[in-house]
Amino acid sequence: MLNCFVTQAQGEAIPIEFLTEENFESWLKSQDESDRSWILATAFKAKQGTICLVPDTKAHIKKVLLGMGSSLDMQTISQLSASLPKGIYYFATALSQQQEYLANLFWGLGFYQFTPYKKFPSLEAQLKLNDPNHLSKLESLISTNFLVRDLINTPTEDMGPAELAEAAIKIAEEFSADAKQLIGDELLEQGFPAIHMVGRASDHAPRLIDIRWGNPRHPKVTLVGKGVCFDTGGLDIKSSSGMALMRKDMAGAAHVLGLARLIMAAQLPIRLRILIPAVENAISGDAYRPGDIIRTRKGITVEVTNTDAEGRLILCDALAEAATEKPDLIIDIASLTGAAKVALGTEVTALFSQNDVLAKKISETGLKEAEPIWPMPLYKPYRRLLDSNFADIINASMSGYAGAITAALFLKEFVPDDIDWLHFDIMAWNMANKPGRPEGAEAVTLRSLFSYLQERYNKQ
Ligand code: BES
Ligand code: ZN
């Protein structure tokens, strides 16, 4: 059980009130004289993320005020987790069900610390849940979020293809799922030439992790995650600033493992398959080169115009394999392009799908889950930017325009039109510290996808 929640408290828990700047003045008037003068003395004005501890006559904390700024943005609540002293608290402000869910969630998410390599202060505040029935869902969502962030934050030295596979197998074993891997030359023998070609330059052998879970008679959902454990760019080497964060290039893999964990823990009635091509895009005498042409698993030939567009190459073999079984739904998650971040910034996730209704539904779910997801167009005319004079397609358009769209159009070549497909181009990284969002790995889209899958498949 996560330490940050309790379902009952001995003695009185301390109330936390959320205050917006707009309602602050009138609220202040309703307070008794001593509280009012204390609050005025602290100059608390309900600015977003500000906290005021109001004492009783014995100098104990009587209540906590959290400034929300202009509106009740539940993410602000993460500010409390690391700021409040040891004690048991509860939310005293009346909230809608959805707000209460997000309030609890962001309280929990505020406790994330990446501890393997540095000592952090222990955080000891605990929240008494107003409805104890919410505990298990919250725990599952929060612990999965932490797992995903830990996997991404871990340096490549400790999270190469082999360690990523180990982490995947550990999750599979937790739920008695079947896990297998193809490693190194087995990829060539079994027909995954693009995964092998991208990963072969590294001393840490490339691999394909393949996990199956659930009743084969249930509708099949296949998750595909980009597992580039480090992206140097290959021979088209990245600049040092471009390479600095590239241990996070396996974030897609971490995300599909997280989503799989949520699905398996909730025992959703689906037949789940997880495919993770795990490689290091390294540089050595055996590195693949610009100008090389790969005959991919699907038979489509790809001219490599840029070795830094490696993600789509490893994904294309995995997507081709996924499609052979005609699943009901394919979801791929990948830190695929810098262009997606240029278009949407670091906090909004780009979504591509050939099914506009589905894409709209997911972004609406994203709003409810406080996970901004934006549908982007699979604009067919841009397919010409991937035309090759030597092969069926090039891997990267060098036009400099529409990089996220052309990457998605490349992947689409490997997914038949009649299979529902969602492609997420994710950032998965906080560039600076914000409440509950410390610099480093971030998990995105997970709650929205899980909620959508529950709605789509859990109707009994
Ligand atoms: N891993 C990167 C994409 C990326 C970069 C994600 C920065 C998040 C932040 C990917 O493998 C890559 O290098 N893509 C290239 C593609 C280009 C060569 C067509 C990019 O986006 O620059
Ligand atoms: Zn790259």
Side-chain angles (χ1 to χ4, degrees):
M1 177 171 159
L2 287 171
N3 210 23
C4 60
F5 294 115
V6 292
T7 51
Q8 49 203 7
Q10 278 177 339
E12 295 242 323
I14 301 165
I16 300 175
E17 298 210 35
F18 307 141
L19 295 167
T20 60
E21 285 161 325
E22 202 189 328
N23 67 15
F24 176 63
E25 293 298 336
S26 60
W27 174 87
L28 193 60
K29 283 190 194 123
S30 71
Q31 300 304 294
D32 65 37
E33 183 55 41
S34 69
D35 287 3
R36 194 163 49 235
S37 30
W38 174 268
I39 294 162
L40 284 171
T42 63
F44 177 81
K45 292 265 176 7
K47 282 217 167 54
Q48 189 179 16
T50 53
I51 295 170
C52 179
L53 307 180
V54 183
D56 64 14
T57 48
K58 293 188 191 126
H60 295 143
I61 301 173
K62 181 166 95 175
K63 65 181 159 209
V64 175
L65 313 180
L66 174 65
M68 285 287 194
S70 56
S71 63
L72 282 193
D73 175 356
M74 294 305 162
Q75 286 195 42
T76 314
I77 289 165
S78 294
Q79 179 78 19
L80 292 167
S81 324
S83 312
L84 291 181
K86 187 179 166 86
I88 298 181
Y89 302 82
Y90 73 96
F91 295 145
T93 303
L95 298 171
S96 70
Q97 222 181 348
Q98 186 65 15
Q99 284 174 324
E100 173 110 14
Y101 156 70
L102 290 177
N104 293 336
L105 187 78
F106 283 112
W107 168 273
L109 293 178
F111 285 83
Y112 181 71
Q113 293 173 323
F114 183 57
T115 54
Y117 307 89
K118 183 182 163 165
K119 267 205 175 322
F120 285 83
S122 58
L123 306 178
E124 295 182 305
Q126 292 180 302
L127 182 75
K128 180 177 169 294
L129 291 173
N130 290 331
D131 184 347
N133 292 326
H134 293 159
L135 182 64
S136 70
K137 182 179 176 192
L138 283 169
E139 287 201 319
S140 177
L141 288 174
I142 293 164
S143 62
T144 301
N145 174 294
F146 289 6
L147 168 77
V148 171
R149 287 155 90 172
D150 280 352
L151 290 173
I152 302 170
N153 274 326
T154 304
T156 310
E157 188 66 11
D158 295 332
M159 189 50 68
E163 291 84 4
L164 180 58
E166 226 173 86
I169 290 165
K170 194 168 157 223
I171 293 168
E173 280 172 354
E174 227 181 289
F175 298 96
S176 308
D178 294 323
K180 60 173 200 161
Q181 316 180 48
L182 298 173
I183 304 174
D185 287 346
E186 287 171 352
L187 289 165
L188 291 178
E189 288 151 23
Q190 300 294 322
F192 294 93
I195 301 174
H196 184 271
M197 198 176 198
V198 170
R200 74 185 187 198
S202 171
D203 288 340
H204 308 281
R207 52 189 77 208
L208 178 66
I209 304 156
D210 187 352
I211 298 172
R212 291 173 195 268
W213 173 89
N215 185 336
R217 284 192 299 274
H218 286 154
K220 173 166 261 169
V221 175
T222 300
L223 312 179
V224 180
K226 174 178 172 182
V228 174
C229 294
F230 195 80
D231 182 13
T232 63
L235 291 175
D236 289 306
I237 190 169
K238 286 182 181 294
S239 65
S240 55
S241 63
M243 207 187 294
L245 297 180
M246 283 302 132
R247 72 176 187 276
K248 80 173 176 77
D249 219 13
M250 38 59 75
H255 276 70
V256 300
L257 288 173
L259 182 56
R261 188 175 188 253
L262 292 173
I263 292 168
M264 295 189 290
Q267 301 213 311
L268 277 195
I270 59 178
R271 171 67 169 164
L272 184 64
R273 189 177 187 195
I274 303 145
L275 287 168
I276 297 176
V279 304
E280 233 188 293
N281 188 18
I283 300 170
S284 76
D286 196 25
Y288 79 127
R289 320 152 188 88
D292 280 341
I293 296 178
I294 316 175
R295 188 174 301 277
T296 64
R297 180 170 189 78
K298 195 172 172 188
I300 295 175
T301 55
V302 180
E303 177 192 352
V304 177
T305 45
N306 194 315
T307 59
D308 197 9
E310 80 299 331
R312 60 198 80 179
L313 293 174
I314 62 169
L315 289 173
C316 83
D317 275 357
L319 287 170
E321 168 57 21
T324 55
E325 298 183 328
K326 296 204 174 312
D328 196 46
L329 175 63
I330 296 178
I331 302 174
D332 81 69
I333 309 182
S335 51
L336 204 60
T337 69
K341 286 91 240 171
V342 174
L344 296 179
T346 61
E347 290 171 25
V348 182
T349 301
L351 163 62
F352 295 85
S353 175
Q354 80 285 56
N355 181 339
D356 292 341
V357 178
L358 179 58
K360 185 159 177 276
K361 173 88 193 146
I362 301 289
S363 71
E364 283 166 5
T365 311
L367 272 184
K368 286 189 207 142
E369 294 287 344
E371 287 182 327
I373 297 169
W374 215 258
M376 304 264 279
L378 277 169
Y379 185 66
K380 280 206 190 95
Y382 288 168
R383 170 61 181 79
R384 69 173 184 275
L385 298 171
L386 296 173
D387 285 346
S388 166
N389 291 323
F390 299 98
D392 296 326
I393 192 169
I394 58 173
N395 76 326
S397 151
M398 300 319 277
S399 76
Y401 297 111
I405 298 177
T406 51
L409 285 171
F410 178 92
L411 296 181
K412 211 201 145 292
E413 296 287 314
F414 299 85
V415 184
D417 281 336
D418 59 350
I419 299 178
D420 271 349
W421 169 56
L422 295 166
H423 158 56
F424 292 90
D425 194 334
I426 63 171
M427 174 70 177
W429 198 265
N430 301 316
M431 299 303 291
N433 284 328
K434 280 187 20 197
R437 297 176 176 272
E439 181 186 342
E442 185 54 84
V444 294
T445 76
L446 286 186
R447 294 190 298 276
S448 310
L449 280 172
F450 179 54
S451 158
Y452 171 73
L453 292 175
Q454 271 184 312
E455 197 184 315
R456 177 159 168 166
Y457 295 109
N458 217 5
K459 291 186 207 124
Q460 275 129 353

PDB file of all heavy atoms in Angstrom, residues 359-385:
ATOM      1  N   ALA A 359     -10.029   9.032 -32.349  1.00  0.00           N
ATOM      2  CA  ALA A 359      -9.046  10.028 -31.888  1.00  0.00           C
ATOM      3  C   ALA A 359      -9.727  11.095 -31.035  1.00  0.00           C
ATOM      4  O   ALA A 359      -9.201  11.507 -29.995  1.00  0.00           O
ATOM      5  CB  ALA A 359      -8.345  10.657 -33.087  1.00  0.00           C
ATOM      6  N   LYS A 360     -10.909  11.516 -31.479  1.00  0.00           N
ATOM      7  CA  LYS A 360     -11.639  12.553 -30.740  1.00  0.00           C
ATOM      8  C   LYS A 360     -12.026  12.033 -29.350  1.00  0.00           C
ATOM      9  O   LYS A 360     -11.885  12.721 -28.338  1.00  0.00           O
ATOM     10  CB  LYS A 360     -12.890  12.940 -31.538  1.00  0.00           C
ATOM     11  CG  LYS A 360     -13.671  14.083 -30.968  1.00  0.00           C
ATOM     12  CD  LYS A 360     -14.552  14.718 -32.055  1.00  0.00           C
ATOM     13  CE  LYS A 360     -15.401  15.835 -31.469  1.00  0.00           C
ATOM     14  NZ  LYS A 360     -16.635  15.356 -30.858  1.00  0.00           N
ATOM     15  N   LYS A 361     -12.483  10.798 -29.349  1.00  0.00           N
ATOM     16  CA  LYS A 361     -12.882  10.164 -28.081  1.00  0.00           C
ATOM     17  C   LYS A 361     -11.696  10.120 -27.100  1.00  0.00           C
ATOM     18  O   LYS A 361     -11.832  10.413 -25.911  1.00  0.00           O
ATOM     19  CB  LYS A 361     -13.378   8.744 -28.401  1.00  0.00           C
ATOM     20  CG  LYS A 361     -13.673   7.893 -27.231  1.00  0.00           C
ATOM     21  CD  LYS A 361     -15.094   8.087 -26.768  1.00  0.00           C
ATOM     22  CE  LYS A 361     -15.281   7.457 -25.413  1.00  0.00           C
ATOM     23  NZ  LYS A 361     -16.173   8.111 -24.543  1.00  0.00           N
ATOM     24  N   ILE A 362     -10.525   9.757 -27.619  1.00  0.00           N
ATOM     25  CA  ILE A 362      -9.347   9.662 -26.743  1.00  0.00           C
ATOM     26  C   ILE A 362      -8.964  11.046 -26.212  1.00  0.00           C
ATOM     27  O   ILE A 362      -8.619  11.200 -25.041  1.00  0.00           O
ATOM     28  CB  ILE A 362      -8.139   9.049 -27.501  1.00  0.00           C
ATOM     29  CG1 ILE A 362      -8.478   7.658 -28.035  1.00  0.00           C
ATOM     30  CG2 ILE A 362      -6.901   9.004 -26.617  1.00  0.00           C
ATOM     31  CD1 ILE A 362      -8.620   6.576 -27.031  1.00  0.00           C
ATOM     32  N   SER A 363      -9.043  12.065 -27.067  1.00  0.00           N
ATOM     33  CA  SER A 363      -8.634  13.379 -26.561  1.00  0.00           C
ATOM     34  C   SER A 363      -9.665  13.915 -25.564  1.00  0.00           C
ATOM     35  O   SER A 363      -9.300  14.593 -24.606  1.00  0.00           O
ATOM     36  CB  SER A 363      -8.344  14.366 -27.693  1.00  0.00           C
ATOM     37  OG  SER A 363      -9.521  14.747 -28.321  1.00  0.00           O
ATOM     38  N   GLU A 364     -10.929  13.561 -25.744  1.00  0.00           N
ATOM     39  CA  GLU A 364     -11.929  13.951 -24.733  1.00  0.00           C
ATOM     40  C   GLU A 364     -11.660  13.235 -23.400  1.00  0.00           C
ATOM     41  O   GLU A 364     -11.767  13.833 -22.328  1.00  0.00           O
ATOM     42  CB  GLU A 364     -13.344  13.595 -25.217  1.00  0.00           C
ATOM     43  CG  GLU A 364     -13.862  14.581 -26.263  1.00  0.00           C
ATOM     44  CD  GLU A 364     -15.103  14.074 -26.997  1.00  0.00           C
ATOM     45  OE1 GLU A 364     -15.627  12.989 -26.643  1.00  0.00           O
ATOM     46  OE2 GLU A 364     -15.525  14.764 -27.936  1.00  0.00           O
ATOM     47  N   THR A 365     -11.301  11.973 -23.502  1.00  0.00           N
ATOM     48  CA  THR A 365     -10.965  11.234 -22.279  1.00  0.00           C
ATOM     49  C   THR A 365      -9.746  11.881 -21.622  1.00  0.00           C
ATOM     50  O   THR A 365      -9.670  11.994 -20.398  1.00  0.00           O
ATOM     51  CB  THR A 365     -10.665   9.749 -22.606  1.00  0.00           C
ATOM     52  OG1 THR A 365     -11.722   9.259 -23.426  1.00  0.00           O
ATOM     53  CG2 THR A 365     -10.561   8.909 -21.365  1.00  0.00           C
ATOM     54  N   GLY A 366      -8.807  12.323 -22.452  1.00  0.00           N
ATOM     55  CA  GLY A 366      -7.610  12.999 -21.947  1.00  0.00           C
ATOM     56  C   GLY A 366      -7.957  14.232 -21.128  1.00  0.00           C
ATOM     57  O   GLY A 366      -7.346  14.490 -20.091  1.00  0.00           O
ATOM     58  N   LEU A 367      -8.949  14.982 -21.587  1.00  0.00           N
ATOM     59  CA  LEU A 367      -9.367  16.178 -20.842  1.00  0.00           C
ATOM     60  C   LEU A 367      -9.852  15.806 -19.447  1.00  0.00           C
ATOM     61  O   LEU A 367      -9.496  16.427 -18.457  1.00  0.00           O
ATOM     62  CB  LEU A 367     -10.512  16.874 -21.578  1.00  0.00           C
ATOM     63  CG  LEU A 367     -10.153  17.909 -22.632  1.00  0.00           C
ATOM     64  CD1 LEU A 367     -11.420  18.551 -23.187  1.00  0.00           C
ATOM     65  CD2 LEU A 367      -9.252  18.980 -22.010  1.00  0.00           C
ATOM     66  N   LYS A 368     -10.682  14.745 -19.389  1.00  0.00           N
ATOM     67  CA  LYS A 368     -11.227  14.308 -18.093  1.00  0.00           C
ATOM     68  C   LYS A 368     -10.128  13.826 -17.159  1.00  0.00           C
ATOM     69  O   LYS A 368     -10.207  13.961 -15.949  1.00  0.00           O
ATOM     70  CB  LYS A 368     -12.220  13.152 -18.307  1.00  0.00           C
ATOM     71  CG  LYS A 368     -13.531  13.598 -18.889  1.00  0.00           C
ATOM     72  CD  LYS A 368     -14.529  12.441 -18.856  1.00  0.00           C
ATOM     73  CE  LYS A 368     -15.533  12.601 -19.962  1.00  0.00           C
ATOM     74  NZ  LYS A 368     -15.920  11.352 -20.602  1.00  0.00           N
ATOM     75  N   GLU A 369      -9.106  13.226 -17.741  1.00  0.00           N
ATOM     76  CA  GLU A 369      -8.040  12.645 -16.932  1.00  0.00           C
ATOM     77  C   GLU A 369      -6.891  13.626 -16.699  1.00  0.00           C
ATOM     78  O   GLU A 369      -5.857  13.237 -16.174  1.00  0.00           O
ATOM     79  CB  GLU A 369      -7.508  11.377 -17.616  1.00  0.00           C
ATOM     80  CG  GLU A 369      -8.510  10.241 -17.691  1.00  0.00           C
ATOM     81  CD  GLU A 369      -8.737   9.582 -16.329  1.00  0.00           C
ATOM     82  OE1 GLU A 369      -7.926   9.794 -15.412  1.00  0.00           O
ATOM     83  OE2 GLU A 369      -9.743   8.860 -16.193  1.00  0.00           O
ATOM     84  N   ALA A 370      -7.077  14.876 -17.104  1.00  0.00           N
ATOM     85  CA  ALA A 370      -6.013  15.891 -16.998  1.00  0.00           C
ATOM     86  C   ALA A 370      -4.740  15.436 -17.704  1.00  0.00           C
ATOM     87  O   ALA A 370      -3.631  15.601 -17.197  1.00  0.00           O
ATOM     88  CB  ALA A 370      -5.740  16.245 -15.536  1.00  0.00           C
ATOM     89  N   GLU A 371      -4.921  14.803 -18.863  1.00  0.00           N
ATOM     90  CA  GLU A 371      -3.787  14.397 -19.707  1.00  0.00           C
ATOM     91  C   GLU A 371      -4.027  14.960 -21.109  1.00  0.00           C
ATOM     92  O   GLU A 371      -4.704  14.312 -21.916  1.00  0.00           O
ATOM     93  CB  GLU A 371      -3.710  12.867 -19.804  1.00  0.00           C
ATOM     94  CG  GLU A 371      -3.228  12.180 -18.571  1.00  0.00           C
ATOM     95  CD  GLU A 371      -3.118  10.667 -18.744  1.00  0.00           C
ATOM     96  OE1 GLU A 371      -3.920  10.061 -19.480  1.00  0.00           O
ATOM     97  OE2 GLU A 371      -2.229  10.080 -18.126  1.00  0.00           O
ATOM     98  N   PRO A 372      -3.521  16.155 -21.390  1.00  0.00           N
ATOM     99  CA  PRO A 372      -3.816  16.745 -22.692  1.00  0.00           C
ATOM    100  C   PRO A 372      -3.273  15.924 -23.867  1.00  0.00           C
ATOM    101  O   PRO A 372      -2.080  15.622 -23.927  1.00  0.00           O
ATOM    102  CB  PRO A 372      -3.160  18.125 -22.637  1.00  0.00           C
ATOM    103  CG  PRO A 372      -2.398  18.179 -21.369  1.00  0.00           C
ATOM    104  CD  PRO A 372      -2.690  16.991 -20.543  1.00  0.00           C
ATOM    105  N   ILE A 373      -4.192  15.548 -24.763  1.00  0.00           N
ATOM    106  CA  ILE A 373      -3.844  14.740 -25.942  1.00  0.00           C
ATOM    107  C   ILE A 373      -4.495  15.426 -27.139  1.00  0.00           C
ATOM    108  O   ILE A 373      -5.678  15.751 -27.087  1.00  0.00           O
ATOM    109  CB  ILE A 373      -4.419  13.305 -25.807  1.00  0.00           C
ATOM    110  CG1 ILE A 373      -3.784  12.585 -24.607  1.00  0.00           C
ATOM    111  CG2 ILE A 373      -4.214  12.505 -27.090  1.00  0.00           C
ATOM    112  CD1 ILE A 373      -4.469  11.281 -24.246  1.00  0.00           C
ATOM    113  N   TRP A 374      -3.743  15.660 -28.190  1.00  0.00           N
ATOM    114  CA  TRP A 374      -4.275  16.411 -29.316  1.00  0.00           C
ATOM    115  C   TRP A 374      -4.219  15.601 -30.608  1.00  0.00           C
ATOM    116  O   TRP A 374      -3.147  15.154 -31.001  1.00  0.00           O
ATOM    117  CB  TRP A 374      -3.443  17.695 -29.502  1.00  0.00           C
ATOM    118  CG  TRP A 374      -4.304  18.819 -29.969  1.00  0.00           C
ATOM    119  CD1 TRP A 374      -4.409  19.290 -31.232  1.00  0.00           C
ATOM    120  CD2 TRP A 374      -5.193  19.594 -29.163  1.00  0.00           C
ATOM    121  NE1 TRP A 374      -5.312  20.315 -31.261  1.00  0.00           N
ATOM    122  CE2 TRP A 374      -5.816  20.525 -30.011  1.00  0.00           C
ATOM    123  CE3 TRP A 374      -5.538  19.574 -27.797  1.00  0.00           C
ATOM    124  CZ2 TRP A 374      -6.754  21.445 -29.544  1.00  0.00           C
ATOM    125  CZ3 TRP A 374      -6.467  20.487 -27.340  1.00  0.00           C
ATOM    126  CH2 TRP A 374      -7.053  21.402 -28.218  1.00  0.00           C
ATOM    127  N   PRO A 375      -5.365  15.410 -31.275  1.00  0.00           N
ATOM    128  CA  PRO A 375      -5.334  14.673 -32.545  1.00  0.00           C
ATOM    129  C   PRO A 375      -4.639  15.489 -33.638  1.00  0.00           C
ATOM    130  O   PRO A 375      -4.900  16.682 -33.780  1.00  0.00           O
ATOM    131  CB  PRO A 375      -6.813  14.475 -32.890  1.00  0.00           C
ATOM    132  CG  PRO A 375      -7.569  14.788 -31.653  1.00  0.00           C
ATOM    133  CD  PRO A 375      -6.734  15.749 -30.874  1.00  0.00           C
ATOM    134  N   MET A 376      -3.772  14.840 -34.361  1.00  0.00           N
ATOM    135  CA  MET A 376      -3.035  15.474 -35.469  1.00  0.00           C
ATOM    136  C   MET A 376      -3.413  14.741 -36.756  1.00  0.00           C
ATOM    137  O   MET A 376      -3.787  13.573 -36.726  1.00  0.00           O
ATOM    138  CB  MET A 376      -1.532  15.339 -35.237  1.00  0.00           C
ATOM    139  CG  MET A 376      -1.061  15.896 -33.920  1.00  0.00           C
ATOM    140  SD  MET A 376      -0.441  17.554 -34.078  1.00  0.00           S
ATOM    141  CE  MET A 376       1.193  17.213 -34.688  1.00  0.00           C
ATOM    142  N   PRO A 377      -3.276  15.406 -37.899  1.00  0.00           N
ATOM    143  CA  PRO A 377      -3.763  14.779 -39.134  1.00  0.00           C
ATOM    144  C   PRO A 377      -2.760  13.804 -39.773  1.00  0.00           C
ATOM    145  O   PRO A 377      -1.571  14.090 -39.853  1.00  0.00           O
ATOM    146  CB  PRO A 377      -3.967  15.983 -40.055  1.00  0.00           C
ATOM    147  CG  PRO A 377      -2.978  16.999 -39.578  1.00  0.00           C
ATOM    148  CD  PRO A 377      -2.798  16.775 -38.101  1.00  0.00           C
ATOM    149  N   LEU A 378      -3.322  12.669 -40.225  1.00  0.00           N
ATOM    150  CA  LEU A 378      -2.531  11.767 -41.077  1.00  0.00           C
ATOM    151  C   LEU A 378      -2.748  12.251 -42.506  1.00  0.00           C
ATOM    152  O   LEU A 378      -3.441  11.607 -43.305  1.00  0.00           O
ATOM    153  CB  LEU A 378      -3.048  10.331 -40.921  1.00  0.00           C
ATOM    154  CG  LEU A 378      -2.547   9.526 -39.745  1.00  0.00           C
ATOM    155  CD1 LEU A 378      -3.362   8.255 -39.587  1.00  0.00           C
ATOM    156  CD2 LEU A 378      -1.064   9.193 -39.899  1.00  0.00           C
ATOM    157  N   TYR A 379      -2.182  13.393 -42.812  1.00  0.00           N
ATOM    158  CA  TYR A 379      -2.501  14.105 -44.050  1.00  0.00           C
ATOM    159  C   TYR A 379      -1.852  13.404 -45.253  1.00  0.00           C
ATOM    160  O   TYR A 379      -0.636  13.479 -45.455  1.00  0.00           O
ATOM    161  CB  TYR A 379      -2.005  15.546 -43.910  1.00  0.00           C
ATOM    162  CG  TYR A 379      -2.362  16.439 -45.069  1.00  0.00           C
ATOM    163  CD1 TYR A 379      -3.689  16.760 -45.341  1.00  0.00           C
ATOM    164  CD2 TYR A 379      -1.361  16.961 -45.880  1.00  0.00           C
ATOM    165  CE1 TYR A 379      -4.008  17.585 -46.400  1.00  0.00           C
ATOM    166  CE2 TYR A 379      -1.679  17.792 -46.946  1.00  0.00           C
ATOM    167  CZ  TYR A 379      -2.997  18.100 -47.197  1.00  0.00           C
ATOM    168  OH  TYR A 379      -3.314  18.916 -48.249  1.00  0.00           O
ATOM    169  N   LYS A 380      -2.694  12.701 -46.016  1.00  0.00           N
ATOM    170  CA  LYS A 380      -2.197  11.809 -47.074  1.00  0.00           C
ATOM    171  C   LYS A 380      -1.284  12.479 -48.108  1.00  0.00           C
ATOM    172  O   LYS A 380      -0.293  11.873 -48.527  1.00  0.00           O
ATOM    173  CB  LYS A 380      -3.378  11.137 -47.785  1.00  0.00           C
ATOM    174  CG  LYS A 380      -3.943   9.963 -47.022  1.00  0.00           C
ATOM    175  CD  LYS A 380      -4.619   8.977 -47.992  1.00  0.00           C
ATOM    176  CE  LYS A 380      -5.391   7.923 -47.235  1.00  0.00           C
ATOM    177  NZ  LYS A 380      -6.815   8.231 -47.071  1.00  0.00           N
ATOM    178  N   PRO A 381      -1.615  13.715 -48.546  1.00  0.00           N
ATOM    179  CA  PRO A 381      -0.747  14.301 -49.578  1.00  0.00           C
ATOM    180  C   PRO A 381       0.732  14.386 -49.158  1.00  0.00           C
ATOM    181  O   PRO A 381       1.623  14.391 -50.019  1.00  0.00           O
ATOM    182  CB  PRO A 381      -1.349  15.694 -49.781  1.00  0.00           C
ATOM    183  CG  PRO A 381      -2.797  15.533 -49.421  1.00  0.00           C
ATOM    184  CD  PRO A 381      -2.809  14.540 -48.292  1.00  0.00           C
ATOM    185  N   TYR A 382       0.998  14.434 -47.846  1.00  0.00           N
ATOM    186  CA  TYR A 382       2.401  14.500 -47.407  1.00  0.00           C
ATOM    187  C   TYR A 382       3.146  13.177 -47.584  1.00  0.00           C
ATOM    188  O   TYR A 382       4.365  13.123 -47.393  1.00  0.00           O
ATOM    189  CB  TYR A 382       2.494  14.932 -45.935  1.00  0.00           C
ATOM    190  CG  TYR A 382       2.155  16.386 -45.683  1.00  0.00           C
ATOM    191  CD1 TYR A 382       1.947  16.840 -44.382  1.00  0.00           C
ATOM    192  CD2 TYR A 382       2.055  17.306 -46.714  1.00  0.00           C
ATOM    193  CE1 TYR A 382       1.630  18.168 -44.125  1.00  0.00           C
ATOM    194  CE2 TYR A 382       1.727  18.636 -46.471  1.00  0.00           C
ATOM    195  CZ  TYR A 382       1.520  19.064 -45.182  1.00  0.00           C
ATOM    196  OH  TYR A 382       1.213  20.367 -44.926  1.00  0.00           O
ATOM    197  N   ARG A 383       2.403  12.152 -47.963  1.00  0.00           N
ATOM    198  CA  ARG A 383       3.063  10.861 -48.211  1.00  0.00           C
ATOM    199  C   ARG A 383       4.133  10.994 -49.282  1.00  0.00           C
ATOM    200  O   ARG A 383       5.139  10.288 -49.276  1.00  0.00           O
ATOM    201  CB  ARG A 383       2.002   9.819 -48.589  1.00  0.00           C
ATOM    202  CG  ARG A 383       2.494   8.487 -49.106  1.00  0.00           C
ATOM    203  CD  ARG A 383       3.350   7.729 -48.090  1.00  0.00           C
ATOM    204  NE  ARG A 383       3.821   6.458 -48.615  1.00  0.00           N
ATOM    205  CZ  ARG A 383       4.854   6.331 -49.441  1.00  0.00           C
ATOM    206  NH1 ARG A 383       5.545   7.385 -49.844  1.00  0.00           N
ATOM    207  NH2 ARG A 383       5.216   5.134 -49.865  1.00  0.00           N
ATOM    208  N   ARG A 384       3.934  11.972 -50.203  1.00  0.00           N
ATOM    209  CA  ARG A 384       4.922  12.177 -51.277  1.00  0.00           C
ATOM    210  C   ARG A 384       6.293  12.556 -50.709  1.00  0.00           C
ATOM    211  O   ARG A 384       7.328  12.327 -51.331  1.00  0.00           O
ATOM    212  CB  ARG A 384       4.442  13.261 -52.249  1.00  0.00           C
ATOM    213  CG  ARG A 384       4.439  14.649 -51.650  1.00  0.00           C
ATOM    214  CD  ARG A 384       4.121  15.759 -52.662  1.00  0.00           C
ATOM    215  NE  ARG A 384       4.237  17.073 -52.031  1.00  0.00           N
ATOM    216  CZ  ARG A 384       3.256  17.665 -51.342  1.00  0.00           C
ATOM    217  NH1 ARG A 384       2.083  17.081 -51.213  1.00  0.00           N
ATOM    218  NH2 ARG A 384       3.456  18.852 -50.782  1.00  0.00           N
ATOM    219  N   LEU A 385       6.309  13.134 -49.488  1.00  0.00           N
ATOM    220  CA  LEU A 385       7.589  13.520 -48.884  1.00  0.00           C
ATOM    221  C   LEU A 385       8.439  12.298 -48.510  1.00  0.00           C
ATOM    222  O   LEU A 385       9.608  12.424 -48.169  1.00  0.00           O
ATOM    223  CB  LEU A 385       7.355  14.389 -47.636  1.00  0.00           C
ATOM    224  CG  LEU A 385       6.643  15.727 -47.882  1.00  0.00           C
ATOM    225  CD1 LEU A 385       6.277  16.404 -46.563  1.00  0.00           C
ATOM    226  CD2 LEU A 385       7.532  16.649 -48.723  1.00  0.00           C
TER     227      LEU A 385
END
